[in-house]
């Protein structure tokens, strides 16, 4: 894996190692991508992970779903597709784990992807640390005294 930047080779090798080491008993979701500023694009593969949200100025959000199934469950991946998005100054890529959307209110209502989408659209202009802080505050208000059931992990990037 350390000897190539080819996303397909990396994902296939990672799948092989995970399946070989766990005999298909364990699996992971995975998202990887390469940002190429000179070409103005992000090439990516999503392996069963929550689709990162790509926000382009003046356009509807795009979910980065192209890729394959989760890694480690199958000896060989049944399919593998690369995704490609064109990038420009101001675009935002927001990735997260399912703990973000699977926050529940005291009424057992899930925060969900629709609320996350609305939050990101409304607050896309925030600096990224402030965006993350505002989302955590919104999740805290949504859940009230209900405990988090999973970790919250967010990773974002803004094209400058």
């Amino acid at each position: 894996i350390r000897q190539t930047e080819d996303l397909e080779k990396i994902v296939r090798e990672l799948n092989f190692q995970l399946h070989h080491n766990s005999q298909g008993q364990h699996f992971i979701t995975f998202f990887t991508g390469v940002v190429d500023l000179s070409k103005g694009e992000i090439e990516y593969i999503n392996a069963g992970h929550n689709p990162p949200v790509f926000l382009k100025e003046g356009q509807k959000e795009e979910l980065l779903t192209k890729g394959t199934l989760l890694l480690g469950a199958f000896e060989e991946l049944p399919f593998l597709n690369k995704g490609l998005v064109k990038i420009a100054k101001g675009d935002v890529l927001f990735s997260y784990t399912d703990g973000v959307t699977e926050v529940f209110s005291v009424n057992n209502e899930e925060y969900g992807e629709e609320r996350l989408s609305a939050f990101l659209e409304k607050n896309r202009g925030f600096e990224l640390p402030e965006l993350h802080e505002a989302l955590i505050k919104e999740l805290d208000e949504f859940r009230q005294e209900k405990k988090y059931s999973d970790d919250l992990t967010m990773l974002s990037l803004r094209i400058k």
Side-chain angles (χ1 to χ4, degrees), residues 29-43:
T29 66
F30 183 72
F31 180 88
T32 188
V34 175
V35 177
D36 189 329
L37 295 174
S38 66
K39 290 183 181 177
E41 62 188 28
I42 299 174
E43 183 180 66

Side-chain angles (χ1 to χ4, degrees), residues 22 34 40 99 119 128 135 149-150 158:
S22 73
V34 175
F119 172 86
L128 298 180
L135 179 55
S149 60
D150 202 351
R158 181 182 313 274

Side-chain angles (χ1 to χ4, degrees), residues 71-117:
L71 303 183
F74 305 97
E75 186 172 0
E76 288 196 33
L77 296 169
F79 63 90
L80 179 59
N81 302 301
K82 280 192 291 191
L84 184 73
V85 290
K86 291 295 187 182
I87 56 174
K89 185 178 177 182
D91 291 350
V92 174
L93 178 66
F94 178 84
S95 58
Y96 62 97
T97 57
D98 59 3
V100 172
T101 51
E102 294 175 0
V103 170
F104 287 88
S105 72
V106 291
N107 301 323
N108 274 346
E109 185 178 0
E110 187 178 55
Y111 184 75
E113 292 177 9
E114 284 184 27
R115 281 188 181 90
L116 176 61
S117 250

